[in-house]
Amino acid sequence: MQARSLSFTFLVMAVLSAGAAPLPSAEAGEVGGMDLTDLPEESRSLVEFADRALEYVRENGRERALEEFNDPRGQFVVGDLRYVFAYDSNGTCLAQPFRPGSVGKNQIDLRDENGFLFVQNLNRLASQGGGFAYYVRPNPLHHDSPELKLSYIARVDDDWWLGTGVWLSDVSAVFSADARLDLVRFVDGAVDYARENERKRALEAFNDRNGSFVDGNQYLFAYDFDENRVLAHPFQPDLVGKVRRGGLDIYGFAMDPSVETGLGGIREVAIDGTGLVYYMYLDPARDTTPAIKLGYVRAVDDDWWLGSGIYPAEGDQLGAEGASSSYQPPATKEELAAFVEAAASFARIFGRDLATKDFMDLQGPFVRGDVYIFAADFNGTSLALPFLPSAVGTNRLDLQNSEGVRINREMRAIAEDGSGFFEYLWTNPLTGGEEPKTSYVTKVDDGWWLGAGIYLRDEERATKA
């Protein structure tokens, strides 16, 4: 990270999945209560460029403005680095000078390289007045390498909004599948614990620095919905019991809900039930230099929520160690079901495209010896089959085993009803021999399902007999 980022002297928590209070124009000299002169050049230039675009809309109208924004040689394209993009309130792209094929397409479900629904986030941010946001996209200046982008969003009116951005190429912001899976399991496990125990007992456990919910740099934070009062933070116990509102980081990101409106902050994601966020936080592994984190938050109930986050370095370390050293293949039906349900939760959070890509990685966390995640849509098209990649994209609904059983039809029927086990004969890709297999399958959503299976060993067959 460059020297400008070393000037952070306070705890920062820039939330990418939520918005700040409505923002005045640059002419007013403030952004969300922060004087423009307090912002770094990157942020100031974004606000000024967006204000210039807003003024052009006011003077020329929507149609003429969109023509100008879409012109790669127009006044709102500055070199290869700065341009204006625009969307309507439903997520349809209205302007993108370097990706004209996107214009006219609804991209509300578009995800970034970490599975974050960034257009939904920007749309929500605009509905709250506008503000700054992070997301990760391919940088065409660096051979489409995925990089962190800082954008400023401005609402034009109730029907559409515009934005502009700058690359933060020096900030690592890509997270491995191993790290993302661990994050999901960590938070999901904490939510299960909180729901199974009284709130007081759960918060005591979450606040215990020596407890089972603190693992190195990974820990839980918890807040109430009513006031955004801190309920748990094991490394900053002085925050517990305090209400957090209106905080901004050095780039102008919303840390917490707005003082004026109560909108914004990570809480906005938790209100939806579950979701991903990006935020800046002091990284103890880097001499407390602020670094981007990927967070996952969930509501426990109607009263409070919790979450956790990971640094990119943690993902790099996991990737270097390799999945086989971190995960053991499930050996029982209970472990198999837990493995599959974790994969389904992972897929719902990070989206089908990224999840199936991760499922196909033979060195990733979803391939464990001869146990692996397979996936298909409900029409029978294979979406993930790591040991037979040539089959992905083909329809395997009528595939039969040696006994004539159409196994994919049988498993699909189970998934359509929710989840369950299915026993059949199948060829083990590691031995080449046909063996009895038990699979557990579950529905991800109305479009697709996934599962995994374990081969029954001799002693297991004898026990079943």
Side-chain angles (χ1 to χ4, degrees):
M1 188 173 286
Q2 296 176 357
R4 62 178 180 274
S5 298
L6 298 177
S7 63
F8 280 105
T9 57
F10 52 90
L11 188 63
V12 291
M13 202 176 192
V15 181
L16 148 70
S17 56
L23 301 175
S25 67
E27 287 81 358
E30 291 186 351
V31 171
M34 177 182 283
D35 194 293
L36 274 176
T37 59
D38 293 333
L39 295 174
E41 172 59 27
E42 294 93 335
S43 300
R44 290 200 309 272
S45 65
L46 292 179
V47 175
E48 292 163 359
F49 197 63
D51 275 353
R52 182 181 148 206
L54 286 173
E55 185 63 26
Y56 190 88
V57 175
R58 295 187 190 105
E59 293 177 352
N60 297 276
R62 171 169 165 165
E63 183 176 352
R64 178 69 190 93
L66 290 176
E67 288 178 0
E68 188 68 23
F69 298 159
N70 275 305
D71 183 357
R73 294 177 296 277
Q75 62 179 295
F76 289 98
V77 175
V78 181
D80 296 324
L81 296 174
R82 187 67 52 82
Y83 58 91
V84 169
F85 54 87
Y87 285 79
D88 70 15
S89 58
N90 295 315
T92 298
C93 183
L94 303 176
Q96 227 299 351
F98 291 113
R99 298 182 188 273
S102 300
V103 177
K105 294 182 179 179
N106 189 288
Q107 297 184 316
I108 196 67
D109 293 325
L110 187 63
R111 295 176 183 266
D112 78 354
E113 272 56 25
N114 291 313
F116 175 68
L117 288 162
F118 74 97
V119 176
Q120 285 189 21
N121 167 64
L122 300 181
N123 207 45
R124 174 165 47 193
L125 186 59
S127 72
Q128 296 172 356
F132 292 97
Y134 296 117
Y135 48 95
V136 177
R137 295 294 287 161
N139 186 345
L141 300 180
H142 294 160
H143 307 289
D144 281 337
S145 174
E147 295 180 0
L148 186 67
K149 194 165 192 178
L150 167 66
S151 284
Y152 179 75
I153 305 303
R155 181 173 62 191
V156 180
D157 55 36
D158 290 342
D159 295 326
W160 66 294
W161 52 269
L162 59 83
T164 187
V166 62
W167 297 102
L168 300 179
S169 301
D170 57 319
V171 181
S172 176
V174 177
F175 300 81
S176 73
D178 303 73
R180 287 183 280 113
L181 176 59
D182 281 346
L183 175 63
V184 169
R185 297 197 307 179
F186 186 61
V187 173
D188 285 352
V191 170
D192 290 343
Y193 182 87
R195 290 174 176 173
E196 293 168 0
N197 295 274
E198 293 183 356
R199 172 166 153 171
K200 179 180 178 181
R201 180 179 178 185
L203 291 175
E204 287 176 351
F206 300 158
N207 277 306
D208 183 0
R209 289 186 61 171
N210 299 311
S212 59
F213 289 100
V214 175
D215 184 9
N217 288 335
Q218 194 166 44
Y219 59 89
L220 294 162
F221 49 83
Y223 290 75
D224 71 13
F225 278 117
D226 185 33
E227 299 180 292
N228 206 51
R229 188 180 300 275
V230 182
L231 302 176
H233 200 305
F235 289 101
Q236 290 184 279
D238 57 307
L239 292 178
V240 176
K242 293 183 179 179
V243 173
R244 301 187 68 175
R245 287 193 177 222
L248 301 174
D249 79 352
I250 194 171
Y251 283 118
F253 291 101
M255 294 166 58
D256 307 301
S258 163
V259 173
E260 292 82 7
T261 67
L263 299 174
I266 292 180
R267 186 182 63 170
E268 292 295 311
V269 181
I271 287 174
D272 291 340
T274 184
L276 298 173
V277 297
Y278 291 111
Y279 55 95
M280 283 281 184
Y281 222 71
L282 305 179
D283 186 351
R286 300 180 183 179
D287 297 323
T288 65
T289 299
I292 198 75
K293 294 186 79 171
L294 175 66
Y296 171 49
V297 299
R298 284 188 61 186
V300 178
D301 54 33
D302 292 338
D303 296 324
W304 64 295
W305 59 274
L306 58 80
S308 185
I310 52 174
Y311 294 105
E314 295 167 357
D316 294 342
Q317 183 177 3
L318 278 169
E321 292 173 354
S324 61
S325 63
S326 304
Y327 301 102
Q328 295 300 317
T332 67
K333 292 178 70 173
E334 291 75 15
E335 291 176 354
L336 177 65
F339 174 51
V340 172
E341 291 295 350
S345 180
F346 181 94
R348 296 182 191 109
I349 296 160
F350 296 104
R352 187 167 96 172
D353 290 346
L354 183 58
T356 52
K357 177 182 177 182
D358 291 333
F359 297 159
M360 291 295 293
D361 183 0
L362 293 175
Q363 304 303 316
F366 297 101
V367 176
R368 307 181 185 181
D370 61 2
V371 184
Y372 55 91
I373 294 293
F374 52 83
D377 66 24
F378 281 107
N379 293 320
T381 300
S382 176
L383 302 175
L385 204 57
F387 285 102
L388 191 61
S390 61
V392 174
T394 66
N395 192 294
R396 293 165 61 83
L397 191 58
D398 291 322
L399 184 69
Q400 300 180 48
N401 69 357
S402 62
E403 297 179 321
V405 178
R406 289 182 169 84
I407 58 171
N408 285 333
R409 284 187 178 273
E410 298 291 339
M411 290 190 288
R412 182 186 67 169
I414 295 171
E416 285 175 333
D417 291 334
S419 62
F421 291 94
F422 178 63
E423 297 184 1
Y424 57 102
L425 284 175
W426 196 245
T427 301
N428 186 329
L430 297 185
T431 67
E434 192 173 62
E435 302 175 16
K437 188 173 187 178
T438 295
S439 285
Y440 178 85
V441 298
T442 191
K443 177 193 290 186
V444 178
D445 57 35
D446 290 339
W448 64 298
W449 57 277
L450 57 79
I454 53 177
Y455 292 93
L456 302 180
R457 309 307 176 198
D458 291 340
E459 60 269 22
E460 293 170 325
R461 295 177 213 170
T463 301
K464 290 177 65 66

